[in-house]
Amino acid sequence: MFLEKVKLWNFRKYGRQGDIVLEEPHLELNLNKGVNVLIGENDSGKTAIIDAIKLVLKTHSFEWIKPDEEDFYSGSSVMRIELYFDDMEAEAFHFNEWLSYETIDGKLHPTLKLTYEVSIKNGRIIPSDIYGGANGLEKQLKAEAKEYLKTTYLKPLRDARADLTPKQNSRLSQILKTHEAFHNKDEEHLLLSLFEDFNANVANYFEGKDHENNGLTSDLKGKELKGQIDAFMASFIDSNTATSFEVSPANIKSILEKLSLKVENVVKPGLGTLNKLFMATELLHLDKSEWTGLKLCLVEELEAHLHPQAQMKVIESLQAQKGIQFILTSHSPNLTSKVKLENIILCHEGSAYPLGEKYTKLDKGAGDYLYLERFLDVTKSNMFFAKSVVMVEGWSEEILLPALAKLMKKQGLINKDFTEAGVAIVNVASAEFMKFRKIFLRNEGPELAIPVAIITDCDTRAYARKEVESKGTKKSYEYIKVDQTEFLKESEDKLKQLESEYDEQRVKVFVTKYWTLEYSLQQSHALGGIVKKVLEEMHPQMDKTQTEKELAIKLFNKSLCKTDFAYRLAKYIDPDSYDYDPTIDLTQDDDYIRSLINGVKYVCA
């Protein structure tokens, strides 16, 4: 049994003005059987999804969960939550009154739909119960059925130390009490006899006896203490009144409330270790062999108190679990880099976008998922938390574009630089843009409202290389500038080809059509002088009267360190740098770097 789908109407940020239309939910989210990781920027709706599920199903933690005014979408007076469950043949007997059936391969297939609708009237929230069944056939869900639908919930910034501390109704005792080791064993359990023996020994001490009822010859302070109390009680009541000491009543609940749990050989464990211990304990709810209810674990900010390597190890462990469904929220690129791509759900601007094959342009059969998972390291996973994304093919663009954006803001071309606009730069290096772009493309609406700019080159050569002399293994070449008409036509054709291949939905390609990025920058009216200065710094022996040709030779011979080139150039472009050149003017029309300018504008709008 697993939670297959969540539908929301007017719950938190998932809402619209006007009456509720059942055929048009404000969020319809399909979930995986195993791990589901909700990611996205702050206030993107991750916690709202978790809270909607909790509001209907409640938790094993005995929390007081009820709707409040903040749960209603702005201006709405009615909110509705629907939860759909599938693969429940083994658990169906708990919910016979509320099941729906369809025939699949000649067999009846049971499903369960729960409905929760709450309204506000005259400023008061009108209580509602949970109903099960198909539309028009709903019946109120009984308390016993609800017990089999409770979830395990780990809140954000959880205080594992407090939850594992022995006390009345401690979280640890609640968890243990429901386990088959202790459940319904209040009268016969080994711990009961052990505790009775312990209490008898404690009582003996205050009687001045040892554990074998022999009189103590020393340490009789306990007997004296009890004698004083007995004397007072005799005077208060009568001479037959006596007292006895015990640690706690010998019942399972009180015994479990005295227990603590620790990691062996760890002295004063930190929050990270305690958090992992607490999670391991909470998961007992879901790993009980006799449990025939829902096995669903909700975890907010799984990474809380865990260092990056621990985050990766924990998520790998959860993904290996069988028969348990997890719905997690995370802000951690470290953790996300270890999650299977198809298990990620990207939350953005009031919508949630699963990245499974059914929903995206990614093709598992073509190896897209396996390919991308090998490349999605921590730095690339940062794109899942961004408001917009720039994909580049090398370090040069990754170094230069943030500096360019800062200068464009200073000169009034954009209102926010990359940091302020929440832009993530993804350096795909030698990987394929085509596969990375598919992450952001949907098979059907709504489109993913994240602008994605692909910055690339035409790679149409502005120079030709001709061998002029060969002496043994040593060759000499002449470098000749190609016909400009042919060069521009070939570049324009390549530009149109790339646009037809890449431009789709919110993904757009921006092509520096003059050979490479470095050549285009050298030709630029705004930046050409600075590029000349950088090349002379890097190669003081070069012919300073033929900068363009010298650069072309280095591009042919791959003797230009592009990373160093970009770093040096960025120093002069970045307004925050000590080497910033205030004479640079990006406001002039410059065809050579127009694609870079437009690409930055697209993601910073």
Side-chain angles (χ1 to χ4, degrees):
M1 178 181 184
F2 78 104
L3 178 59
E4 183 262 339
K5 184 183 298 184
V6 177
K7 290 185 180 181
L8 304 179
W9 291 261
N10 289 340
F11 185 78
R12 306 262 179 97
K13 72 189 305 146
Y14 298 107
R16 289 193 288 270
Q17 299 299 328
D19 296 335
I20 282 178
V21 179
L22 293 184
E23 293 75 23
E24 299 175 5
H26 304 144
L27 174 74
E28 181 172 349
L29 174 61
N30 293 303
L31 298 164
N32 300 307
K33 287 184 181 181
V35 172
N36 302 265
V37 182
L38 301 168
I39 62 174
E41 57 186 317
N42 288 335
D43 301 319
S44 60
K46 303 184 295 293
T47 296
I49 294 170
I50 296 287
D51 285 350
I53 297 170
K54 282 170 51 189
L55 197 55
V56 178
L57 301 182
K58 305 302 186 284
T59 75
H60 292 289
S61 304
F62 304 102
E63 299 169 286
W64 180 249
I65 304 171
K66 62 184 183 67
D68 60 37
E69 291 185 10
E70 297 299 319
D71 291 328
F72 290 80
Y73 179 73
S74 176
S76 65
S77 59
V78 179
M79 71 172 184
R80 182 182 177 96
I81 303 169
E82 290 182 0
L83 304 181
Y84 294 76
F85 299 86
D86 206 344
D87 273 11
M88 54 185 307
E89 285 80 359
E91 300 86 2
F93 67 96
H94 293 305
F95 313 101
N96 282 330
E97 297 179 45
W98 305 277
L99 295 177
S100 300
Y101 291 89
E102 59 180 321
T103 302
I104 299 178
D105 296 330
K107 295 182 179 180
L108 285 179
H109 181 76
T111 59
L112 175 64
K113 172 193 166 188
L114 299 184
T115 302
Y116 184 60
E117 188 168 295
V118 186
S119 59
I120 297 180
K121 292 183 180 178
N122 300 322
R124 293 181 61 234
I125 297 176
I126 307 303
S128 174
D129 213 318
I130 314 297
Y131 289 82
N135 289 341
L137 300 174
E138 296 95 338
K139 294 182 183 179
Q140 184 175 328
L141 203 65
K142 293 179 181 177
E144 183 179 359
K146 291 179 184 178
E147 286 297 314
Y148 289 100
L149 289 168
K150 284 186 175 179
T151 69
T152 293
Y153 171 63
L154 279 70
K155 61 188 176 183
L157 299 177
R158 42 204 168 269
D159 188 351
R161 192 184 303 276
D163 285 320
L164 293 171
T165 298
K167 59 186 174 183
Q168 185 175 13
N169 292 322
S170 70
R171 183 69 195 122
L172 178 60
S173 70
Q174 293 172 359
I175 294 169
L176 297 177
K177 184 68 169 65
T178 61
H179 193 273
E180 60 183 337
F182 303 105
H183 188 52
N184 292 329
K185 296 183 180 179
D186 290 326
E187 296 182 0
E188 296 182 5
H189 198 283
L190 178 59
L191 279 183
L192 292 174
S193 60
L194 293 174
F195 210 77
E196 288 171 355
D197 291 343
F198 178 63
N199 267 337
N201 289 330
V202 169
N204 272 354
Y205 167 76
F206 288 98
E207 295 285 352
K209 301 175 183 179
D210 64 17
H211 65 285
E212 294 179 345
N213 284 318
N214 299 317
L216 296 174
T217 56
S218 61
D219 191 11
L220 295 175
K221 294 293 184 183
K223 182 178 180 180
E224 292 177 14
L225 181 154
K226 181 178 178 298
Q228 290 176 296
I229 295 175
D230 285 348
F232 280 116
M233 290 300 292
S235 66
F236 293 157
I237 303 175
D238 60 47
S239 59
N240 295 320
T241 302
T243 61
S244 65
F245 280 92
E246 67 178 14
V247 174
S248 182
N251 60 65
I252 289 295
K253 181 177 183 296
S254 63
I255 293 172
L256 296 181
E257 288 173 346
K258 299 294 184 290
L259 294 181
S260 62
L261 185 64
K262 66 177 185 178
V263 180
E264 288 187 3
N265 303 319
V266 176
V267 180
K268 294 184 179 181
L271 286 175
T273 298
L274 289 173
N275 188 26
K276 286 182 279 188
L277 180 60
F278 179 57
M279 284 192 288
T281 308
E282 284 283 359
L283 289 175
L284 282 175
H285 282 302
L286 307 175
D287 200 30
K288 294 183 289 189
S289 59
E290 86 286 1
W291 177 247
T292 54
L294 179 65
K295 294 185 176 183
L296 171 61
C297 182
L298 309 174
V299 187
E300 291 200 71
E301 298 179 19
L302 178 64
E303 65 272 16
H305 309 305
L306 301 179
H307 69 81
Q309 293 302 319
Q311 294 173 25
M312 296 180 183
K313 191 165 186 177
V314 169
I315 192 61
E316 283 189 343
S317 174
L318 296 186
Q319 288 185 123
Q321 298 296 317
K322 303 297 182 184
I324 301 175
Q325 184 180 23
F326 294 91
I327 303 177
L328 321 170
T329 70
S330 178
H331 296 104
S332 169
N334 295 282
L335 188 148
T336 308
S337 70
K338 279 293 183 181
V339 177
K340 292 183 183 299
L341 191 57
E342 60 198 287
N343 292 342
I344 291 176
I345 299 170
L346 184 55
C347 297
H348 184 74
E349 294 186 353
S351 293
Y353 304 91
L355 298 186
E357 185 179 26
K358 180 180 177 181
Y359 314 103
T360 71
K361 299 281 186 178
L362 292 165
D363 185 349
K364 184 179 289 189
D368 289 350
Y369 283 94
L370 183 60
Y371 182 92
L372 288 171
E373 284 163 9
R374 295 187 186 282
F375 282 94
L376 282 175
D377 57 15
V378 172
T379 55
K380 296 178 182 65
S381 292
N382 184 49
M383 68 182 174
F384 294 123
F385 304 91
K387 293 183 177 178
S388 51
V389 176
V390 178
M391 294 184 183
V392 299
E393 55 187 340
W395 284 103
S396 295
E397 294 88 345
E398 187 172 358
I399 293 169
L400 278 173
L401 287 175
L404 184 66
K406 286 184 180 180
L407 183 55
M408 288 173 63
K409 179 192 173 185
K410 182 178 179 66
Q411 297 186 357
L413 296 175
I414 54 177
N415 295 321
K416 298 178 180 179
D417 61 26
F418 277 8
T419 301
E420 296 165 332
V423 178
I425 302 181
V426 180
N427 182 356
V428 304
S430 59
E432 297 182 41
F433 283 128
M434 190 63 74
K435 292 187 184 294
F436 273 90
R437 68 187 272 281
K438 289 180 183 179
I439 294 173
F440 297 91
L441 299 177
R442 311 301 293 174
N443 281 329
E444 53 187 51
E447 293 181 359
L448 182 51
I450 296 179
V452 178
I454 295 175
I455 307 292
T456 188
D457 305 328
C458 251
D459 286 327
T460 303
R461 289 177 173 175
Y463 276 74
R465 185 170 70 175
K466 179 181 178 183
E467 186 177 335
V468 293
E469 183 180 359
S470 178
K471 294 181 179 179
T473 57
K474 188 175 182 180
K475 297 180 179 180
S476 298
Y477 298 96
E478 182 179 354
Y479 299 86
I480 305 167
K481 195 168 186 176
V482 301
D483 179 78
Q484 285 299 287
T485 302
E486 287 297 318
F487 169 69
L488 293 175
K489 181 181 183 305
E490 188 176 345
S491 295
E492 192 66 33
D493 290 344
K494 185 65 179 293
L495 170 64
K496 291 177 180 177
Q497 175 196 334
L498 291 172
E499 289 177 342
S500 67
E501 290 178 357
Y502 291 145
D503 284 1
E504 188 175 357
Q505 297 178 23
R506 299 296 297 275
V507 178
K508 297 193 178 300
V509 67
F510 298 87
V511 184
T512 49
K513 62 180 182 179
Y514 299 93
W515 197 359
T516 67
L517 171 69
E518 294 76 18
Y519 187 81
S520 296
L521 292 168
Q522 188 274 324
Q523 293 288 295
S524 163
H525 307 305
L527 298 174
I530 303 297
V531 170
K532 185 176 189 298
K533 181 178 179 180
V534 167
L535 289 172
E536 289 174 357
E537 289 176 0
M538 295 175 66
H539 303 281
Q541 306 303 319
M542 63 177 276
D543 186 345
K544 297 178 177 57
T545 64
Q546 298 191 62
T547 303
E548 177 185 349
K549 187 173 183 179
E550 289 283 349
L551 175 60
I553 293 171
K554 296 186 185 306
L555 292 174
F556 262 107
N557 297 331
K558 298 182 179 180
S559 58
L560 177 70
C561 179
K562 294 185 176 183
T563 303
D564 188 27
F565 170 86
Y567 168 74
R568 292 171 182 264
L569 183 58
K571 289 195 305 180
Y572 296 115
I573 293 175
D574 188 342
D576 296 333
S577 169
Y578 289 115
D579 296 314
Y580 166 60
D581 188 335
T583 66
I584 300 173
D585 180 13
L586 298 179
T587 62
Q588 60 182 298
D589 186 33
D590 193 334
D591 190 46
Y592 292 96
I593 59 171
R594 184 180 297 139
S595 61
L596 298 178
I597 299 293
N598 289 341
V600 171
K601 286 181 177 179
Y602 181 63
V603 295
C604 292

